[in-house]
Amino acid sequence: MPDNRRPQRPAGKKTAAGRSGAPAGRGSARAGGKGQDGRADRRPDRRPDRRDDRRDDRRDDRRDDRRRPDQAQRTKDQQAYDGPDLPEGVTGAELDRSVTAQLKGLPEKLAARVARHLAAAGLYLDQDPELAYRHALAARARAPRLAVVREAAGETAYVAGHYAEALADLRAAKRMNGATAYLAIMADCHRALGQPDQAVKLAKSPSVATFPAAAKAEMTIVEAGARRDMGQLDAALRILEQAPLSSKSREPWVVRLRYAYADALEEAGRTEDALAWFHRTMAIDAEELTDAGERAAALEKSTRS
């Protein structure tokens, strides 16, 4: 999914993700093994008890194989629980008070550990999303019934590209606290999973009408993208045209809204209009959040040729 279509993390709130031995072998090499040159060893064994040894080894191997699936699963779960090494200097004090307040119901040592993993998730969210996700999973393994922890797991999963997992955790968080701040991200997860109709359904949620301007713009972008996924380009354009494209604000949500409109216009074959809106995007995109300049240059070149 292109970055310029991905919703920003919920605006106007400190988010949960820190805002503010060897593998088991396949049995004994003795049973049907090979010599050092790679050929099967056919040399007879003259020791009378060798055959019994082999039978015992095979029985042991079968017992080992029966145990390994459970052992491997426990190891995987334990690794998720342990999580990555915590970076030095991260104490959990970096978290917003609204996050730490939700950890107070945990035992002190457990709360401290969860807080440090959440803070580490926030630290790595932009530079190493997969590592951030693993820290969030470590927090979730310890406190799965806290909404703030499920939000962190969902947010980091989304940024790391694990859309099904993100959707599951954000749904769980919503059931726990009723919050709707992540609806745009949930809708975009549906898009990524090939379910644009579900994205449109979320975009029509009554709570969207009360969203702050930035959050509402993000949902508009996702809904328009979902309409395009469904082949409804005209509907996508209408949705974007109802948004405050001409806002005098220079905030990122206006940049992204204008860019999404220009992109849809180009797909619709309205080249001159698209070029005009790419230029209008460039005019307020001081941080170069989009590639509007490159898109405009490419359109200008194509119209001259």
Side-chain angles (χ1 to χ4, degrees), residues 3 24 55 63 86 158 175 196 203-204 256 279:
D3 285 343
R55 280 199 298 268
R63 283 196 294 268
L86 287 161
Y158 174 74
R175 286 194 298 269
K204 299 301 183 185
R256 290 164 49 73
H279 279 297

mmCIF file of all heavy atoms in Angstrom, residues 3 24 55 63 86 158 175 196 203-204 256 279:
data_model
loop_
_atom_site.group_PDB
_atom_site.id
_atom_site.type_symbol
_atom_site.label_atom_id
_atom_site.label_comp_id
_atom_site.label_asym_id
_atom_site.label_seq_id
_atom_site.Cartn_x
_atom_site.Cartn_y
_atom_site.Cartn_z
ATOM 1 N N ASP A 3 2.622 4.678 0.710
ATOM 2 C CA ASP A 3 2.668 5.437 1.952
ATOM 3 C C ASP A 3 1.762 6.645 1.900
ATOM 4 O O ASP A 3 1.214 7.078 2.901
ATOM 5 C CB ASP A 3 4.102 5.886 2.244
ATOM 6 C CG ASP A 3 4.959 4.740 2.736
ATOM 7 O OD1 ASP A 3 4.361 3.730 3.142
ATOM 8 O OD2 ASP A 3 6.185 4.854 2.705
ATOM 9 N N ALA A 24 15.564 -28.118 16.675
ATOM 10 C CA ALA A 24 15.562 -29.566 16.896
ATOM 11 C C ALA A 24 15.953 -30.273 15.619
ATOM 12 O O ALA A 24 15.522 -29.913 14.535
ATOM 13 C CB ALA A 24 14.170 -30.014 17.320
ATOM 14 N N ARG A 55 17.624 -49.887 17.046
ATOM 15 C CA ARG A 55 16.200 -49.897 17.375
ATOM 16 C C ARG A 55 15.900 -48.945 18.526
ATOM 17 O O ARG A 55 14.911 -48.215 18.517
ATOM 18 C CB ARG A 55 15.740 -51.326 17.718
ATOM 19 C CG ARG A 55 15.478 -52.199 16.482
ATOM 20 C CD ARG A 55 14.597 -53.380 16.875
ATOM 21 N NE ARG A 55 15.256 -54.236 17.861
ATOM 22 C CZ ARG A 55 15.992 -55.294 17.525
ATOM 23 N NH1 ARG A 55 16.178 -55.602 16.240
ATOM 24 N NH2 ARG A 55 16.544 -56.039 18.453
ATOM 25 N N ARG A 63 10.015 -40.744 19.947
ATOM 26 C CA ARG A 63 9.526 -40.050 21.144
ATOM 27 C C ARG A 63 9.867 -38.568 21.074
ATOM 28 O O ARG A 63 9.068 -37.711 21.423
ATOM 29 C CB ARG A 63 10.106 -40.700 22.396
ATOM 30 C CG ARG A 63 9.439 -42.015 22.780
ATOM 31 C CD ARG A 63 9.794 -42.395 24.211
ATOM 32 N NE ARG A 63 11.212 -42.692 24.347
ATOM 33 C CZ ARG A 63 11.718 -43.921 24.213
ATOM 34 N NH1 ARG A 63 10.927 -44.944 23.922
ATOM 35 N NH2 ARG A 63 13.013 -44.121 24.369
ATOM 36 N N LEU A 86 15.493 -4.833 25.733
ATOM 37 C CA LEU A 86 15.070 -3.447 25.945
ATOM 38 C C LEU A 86 16.262 -2.510 25.791
ATOM 39 O O LEU A 86 17.341 -2.780 26.334
ATOM 40 C CB LEU A 86 14.454 -3.292 27.338
ATOM 41 C CG LEU A 86 13.066 -3.923 27.478
ATOM 42 C CD1 LEU A 86 12.727 -4.151 28.935
ATOM 43 C CD2 LEU A 86 12.028 -3.031 26.803
ATOM 44 N N TYR A 158 0.113 -2.563 12.174
ATOM 45 C CA TYR A 158 -0.295 -1.831 10.973
ATOM 46 C C TYR A 158 0.902 -1.211 10.264
ATOM 47 O O TYR A 158 1.088 -1.370 9.056
ATOM 48 C CB TYR A 158 -1.309 -0.750 11.355
ATOM 49 C CG TYR A 158 -1.689 0.164 10.213
ATOM 50 C CD1 TYR A 158 -2.526 -0.279 9.194
ATOM 51 C CD2 TYR A 158 -1.211 1.464 10.154
ATOM 52 C CE1 TYR A 158 -2.869 0.549 8.137
ATOM 53 C CE2 TYR A 158 -1.548 2.299 9.107
ATOM 54 C CZ TYR A 158 -2.382 1.838 8.103
ATOM 55 O OH TYR A 158 -2.709 2.672 7.056
ATOM 56 N N ARG A 175 -13.492 -3.000 21.541
ATOM 57 C CA ARG A 175 -14.460 -3.678 22.410
ATOM 58 C C ARG A 175 -14.220 -3.331 23.875
ATOM 59 O O ARG A 175 -15.156 -3.255 24.671
ATOM 60 C CB ARG A 175 -14.380 -5.191 22.219
ATOM 61 C CG ARG A 175 -14.967 -5.700 20.927
ATOM 62 C CD ARG A 175 -15.163 -7.209 20.962
ATOM 63 N NE ARG A 175 -13.906 -7.916 21.126
ATOM 64 C CZ ARG A 175 -13.136 -8.338 20.123
ATOM 65 N NH1 ARG A 175 -13.508 -8.092 18.874
ATOM 66 N NH2 ARG A 175 -12.023 -8.998 20.361
ATOM 67 N N PRO A 196 -12.560 -3.927 0.402
ATOM 68 C CA PRO A 196 -12.916 -2.501 0.339
ATOM 69 C C PRO A 196 -14.343 -2.202 0.796
ATOM 70 O O PRO A 196 -14.615 -1.114 1.309
ATOM 71 C CB PRO A 196 -12.724 -2.160 -1.142
ATOM 72 C CG PRO A 196 -12.836 -3.470 -1.857
ATOM 73 C CD PRO A 196 -12.254 -4.477 -0.923
ATOM 74 N N ALA A 203 -16.273 3.573 7.153
ATOM 75 C CA ALA A 203 -16.250 5.011 6.863
ATOM 76 C C ALA A 203 -17.616 5.659 7.099
ATOM 77 O O ALA A 203 -17.699 6.875 7.329
ATOM 78 C CB ALA A 203 -15.798 5.247 5.431
ATOM 79 N N LYS A 204 -18.658 4.852 7.038
ATOM 80 C CA LYS A 204 -20.013 5.370 7.258
ATOM 81 C C LYS A 204 -20.436 5.312 8.732
ATOM 82 O O LYS A 204 -21.585 5.623 9.058
ATOM 83 C CB LYS A 204 -21.007 4.559 6.419
ATOM 84 C CG LYS A 204 -20.756 4.626 4.916
ATOM 85 C CD LYS A 204 -20.815 6.041 4.380
ATOM 86 C CE LYS A 204 -20.626 6.080 2.870
ATOM 87 N NZ LYS A 204 -20.557 7.485 2.372
ATOM 88 N N ARG A 256 -2.168 15.677 2.302
ATOM 89 C CA ARG A 256 -2.525 14.326 1.885
ATOM 90 C C ARG A 256 -3.886 14.292 1.171
ATOM 91 O O ARG A 256 -4.088 13.527 0.228
ATOM 92 C CB ARG A 256 -2.523 13.405 3.101
ATOM 93 C CG ARG A 256 -1.121 13.144 3.633
ATOM 94 C CD ARG A 256 -1.121 12.568 5.050
ATOM 95 N NE ARG A 256 -2.021 11.458 5.229
ATOM 96 C CZ ARG A 256 -1.813 10.235 4.735
ATOM 97 N NH1 ARG A 256 -0.731 10.003 4.055
ATOM 98 N NH2 ARG A 256 -2.683 9.275 4.956
ATOM 99 N N HIS A 279 0.136 20.787 -8.138
ATOM 100 C CA HIS A 279 0.824 22.047 -7.822
ATOM 101 C C HIS A 279 0.298 22.650 -6.522
ATOM 102 O O HIS A 279 1.071 23.199 -5.718
ATOM 103 C CB HIS A 279 0.668 23.039 -8.980
ATOM 104 C CG HIS A 279 1.632 22.808 -10.102
ATOM 105 N ND1 HIS A 279 2.999 22.923 -9.953
ATOM 106 C CD2 HIS A 279 1.428 22.453 -11.407
ATOM 107 C CE1 HIS A 279 3.594 22.666 -11.099
ATOM 108 N NE2 HIS A 279 2.664 22.365 -12.004
#
